[in-house]
Amino acid sequence: VTGQGTIVGDVGGTNTRLGYVPFPGAGVRRVVQYLNADFDSFNSVLQAYLQKIDEQGCGQMTLAIAAPITGERVSLTNCDWVIDAAVLRRLTGARTVHLLNDLAALALSLPHLAGGRLSHVAGPAMPRAGRKLVIGAGTGFNAACLLQGPPQQVLPAECGHMTLPVETAADLRLRDHLAQGRGRASVERALSGQGLCEVYHWTAREAGQVAQNLTAGQITEHAQQGTDALCRAATQTVLRLLATVVGDLILAYLPQGGVYLAGSVCRALHQLMAAEGFADRVAAKGRQSDLIRGFPIHLLGDDTAALIGCAAQADLAMEPVA
Amino acid sequence: VTGQGTIVGDVGGTNTRLGYVPFPGAGVRRVVQYLNADFDSFNSVLQAYLQKIDEQGCGQMTLAIAAPITGERVSLTNCDWVIDAAVLRRLTGARTVHLLNDLAALALSLPHLAGGRLSHVAGPAMPRAGRKLVIGAGTGFNAACLLQGPPQQVLPAECGHMTLPVETAADLRLRDHLAQGRGRASVERALSGQGLCEVYHWTAREAGQVAQNLTAGQITEHAQQGTDALCRAATQTVLRLLATVVGDLILAYLPQGGVYLAGSVCRALHQLMAAEGFADRVAAKGRQSDLIRGFPIHLLGDDTAALIGCAAQADLAMEPVA
C-alpha cells in the first residue's frame, strides 16, 4: 500500500540518511545517504528521497536529529536547517512524526544490533544487562543512556557542550586556542572531525611547523601509518582527551550494561586505542579506577544503527524521546 | 510490635543519621544523628541506636550510603567503615536490608518533600514534571537522577570523581595544588567541605598571605559577613567551579523536572549565589545557554531528606537501587 510505511531518518551535521520500513518489523530498507551541503533544507532531501523510492508520502515518520529536541520544531546544532514536525506531516500525509535526538536513536538500536557490528575495546568482553551508554564523536559529540526496561527509555543529553577537560599546561594552551572568539571551549571543540583538524593545526603551531591542509580522515590515516609525526601527536592528544571524557561520563552514568563508542572519529581512532593505552586512561580516576574497569567498552561499527533505533521506536509505538 | 518496623539510615562520610518507621506510611520517627568519629564501625552505631529506641531489632532496613553500591558489601568512600548487608540481617533479624547510594536516596525523597524545604536559585520558579537531578556537595560530592515514573527509578552516579574543570591559568594552579601526591584532581577535591578548606589555603598562598586554621563553616561565614577577603575569594572560586560543574551536569542529564542542590557546602554558599552571579555562570555554555536557563534550580534545605528517600523505597518495596 502506497504511503502507509514508516520513513526513518538520521539527520546529522554533515550527512542525512533516510530509509523506509514498509510494515512494522520489516526492518529498514532502501537506505540512501545524502550530503546536507547539496540541499537547501531537510524538506528538499525528503522530497528527493520520496521521488527516488517512488512513494507519495508515508504513514508515519521518525527522525533522529543532531540537536536537543525541545518540541515539534528543532534547529540543527551544526547546520542551519530547521525541522518542523507539522510541516513534515503536511508534506508526507504522515499521521505521526516523531523527532528524537540522534544519540538517543543510536541508544535505542542497541538491543537490536547483531554482534558483528561491535568490537571490544576495554573491560569485560561479554555483553551485560543494565543501562547502556552510547558516546558518539563525529561531526559533533554527544552521548545518550538506554535504561534497562521495561519500559524501554532513553535519557538524551547534550554532552558535547560540557567543559573540555584540562589537566596540563599544554591542555590549557589547546583550550585557549579552541576558545578563541568564543570565551569557552566545549568537549566538542576537540572531540569531533573539525576538532581533530583544529588539534592538528594547534599541534603544528606548538611545534613551530607548518600544518598541511588535511581532513580529519587523512590525519587519522597518516597517524595509523606512522608517516606523519604531527598527525600522530594530534591523534594522541584527541585520544587522551576522549579517554578522560569517556571516564568522566562512565562516572556520571555508571552504565553496567556497557559503553558503546560511535561516530566517525571514534571509528577512525579505534586502531590506535590499544597502542595509546586508551583503556588505562579511561580508568585513571583515582579511587574509582577498579569500578570503571568493570564496565565493558565496545566500538559500534557503523552509524546506520540510528535508523534501526528510529524503526525500533516506530515499531514499539513508543512515546517520543525528548 | 517489637522488631517489625523499618530502620532507615543515612551513612555519610562524617555523620550517620538513623530513624525508625514503625509501619509503612508512618513517616520517619526517632531520628538520631551520630558523629562517625565516635564509633569504630557502623554496627556499633546501630547497636547504640537500637538501645536508645528500645528495640531488639527490625523487620527491614534501608541504608543510604556515601559510596558506590556494587553489591551486598560496601566500603565507604570517605571513611574506613564496611557495611555488610548479611551481617546487618544477622544483627537485627531484618528479613531484608537494602543498601542504596546516599544521593540516590535524596533523589527518591523529592516527590515526598514539602515545598518549604526548597529555596529557588535559578530558572523557572515553579516545579515541573520530568526527571530531576540532585547534586550534593558536603563531605563529598555526587549527583543522582530521579527518572519520571512509573516505575520510579533512580540513576546513581559517582560524579565527585569526574575531572575538576580548569578554564584559566589560576584554575590550573589550583588543580595542580589539589592534585599533589595523587596525580589528578577530581571535582570533589574542590567541591566539598575539605575542598573549600584546601581552596582557602591555596588562595592564601597565591596572595602571599598566611592562612588561618578555619573550618569550611567558618570560611563561608566570614565570606558572608565580608570580614575576610581571603575567605571571600575562596568561596568565589568554589562557587564558580560549582556553577561550571552544575552546568555540565545539566547538559549530561537535561533534567526537565529541575536541579536540586543539596549538602552542607551548597547550603552554606546559598546566600552568596545571587551576588556572585551563580545562575549566569551555570548557563554559560555557549550555544546551549538558553537550553540551560529553562531548567529550574532549587536548594534543598536539609539533608534529613535522605531518610525520607529510604522510607519511600522501603514503603514501595522497590527493588534496591544499585
Side-chain angles (χ1 to χ4, degrees), chain B:
Chain B
V1 185
T2 294
Q4 288 314 294
T6 300
I7 288 182
V8 291
D10 179 16
V11 190
T14 307
N15 299 297
T16 293
R17 290 185 200 88
L18 293 172
Y20 191 74
V21 184
F23 53 88
V28 181
R29 306 179 184 184
R30 295 149 100 180
V31 175
V32 183
Q33 177 165 322
Y34 298 94
L35 198 61
N36 294 1
D38 293 343
F39 296 83
D40 62 347
S41 71
F42 174 73
N43 300 346
S44 308
V45 181
L46 182 61
Q47 280 164 332
Y49 181 69
L50 284 169
Q51 202 160 19
K52 174 145 190 147
I53 65 167
D54 200 23
E55 293 281 352
Q56 306 293 315
C58 58
Q60 54 178 340
M61 190 184 300
T62 299
L63 296 180
I65 305 174
I69 309 299
T70 50
E72 286 255 291
R73 203 179 137 84
V74 172
S75 302
L76 263 78
T77 303
N78 290 309
C79 164
D80 64 0
W81 292 357
V82 171
I83 292 182
D84 187 321
V87 171
L88 295 177
R89 280 194 293 268
R90 276 205 305 278
L91 216 63
T92 62
R95 293 178 307 279
T96 58
V97 173
H98 285 171
L99 309 182
L100 62 158
N101 175 265
D102 58 342
L103 266 286
L106 273 185
L108 283 170
S109 78
L110 291 177
H112 306 281
L113 295 183
R117 291 184 189 232
L118 300 175
S119 313
H120 180 251
V121 172
M126 291 298 294
R128 293 201 174 179
R131 58 185 167 272
K132 298 176 196 301
L133 180 66
V134 182
I135 299 175
T139 306
F141 182 96
N142 200 7
C145 185
L146 178 72
L147 305 174
Q148 190 174 26
Q152 201 167 51
Q153 266 193 81
V154 180
L155 243 118
E158 285 295 323
C159 294
H161 303 277
M162 293 170 78
T163 308
L164 184 71
V166 166
E167 298 189 277
T168 67
D171 286 349
L172 185 62
R173 292 196 299 276
L174 171 59
R175 180 263 171 213
D176 289 345
H177 174 82
L178 297 172
Q180 269 168 33
R182 296 189 185 98
R184 74 181 293 262
S186 64
V187 162
E188 185 168 287
R189 289 293 164 205
L191 300 185
S192 60
Q194 184 58 37
L196 178 55
C197 293
E198 290 278 353
V199 172
Y200 166 72
H201 281 271
W202 172 80
T203 305
R205 212 181 61 173
E206 284 266 308
Q209 294 183 34
V210 178
Q212 297 173 258
N213 194 11
L214 300 176
T215 64
Q218 290 169 325
I219 293 167
T220 49
E221 214 179 292
H222 283 307
Q224 273 167 32
Q225 292 167 354
T227 48
D228 187 309
L230 287 180
C231 290
R232 184 64 185 251
T235 55
Q236 284 171 331
T237 299
V238 168
L239 261 176
R240 190 169 50 76
L241 291 168
L242 178 65
T244 301
V245 172
V246 168
D248 283 345
L249 294 179
I250 288 176
L251 289 166
Y253 297 97
L254 302 179
Q256 293 127 326
V259 176
Y260 296 82
L261 303 177
S264 55
V265 171
C266 288
R267 280 199 301 279
L269 294 174
H270 179 219
Q271 289 195 4
L272 293 164
M273 286 179 181
E276 298 300 339
F278 181 77
D280 286 342
R281 285 200 163 279
V282 169
K285 302 293 182 192
R287 293 172 291 168
Q288 300 304 343
S289 293
D290 287 345
L291 182 75
I292 292 176
R293 286 186 199 278
F295 299 109
I297 305 179
H298 287 84
L299 181 87
L300 188 51
D302 72 273
D303 285 350
T304 57
L307 297 181
I308 296 173
C310 289
Q313 182 173 58
D315 282 359
L316 294 166
M318 288 171 63
E319 284 303 298
V321 175

Side-chain angles (χ1 to χ4, degrees), chain A residues 81-96:
Chain A
W81 292 358
V82 171
I83 293 182
D84 186 322
V87 171
L88 296 176
R89 278 194 295 268
R90 274 204 306 277
L91 216 64
T92 62
R95 291 178 307 281
T96 58

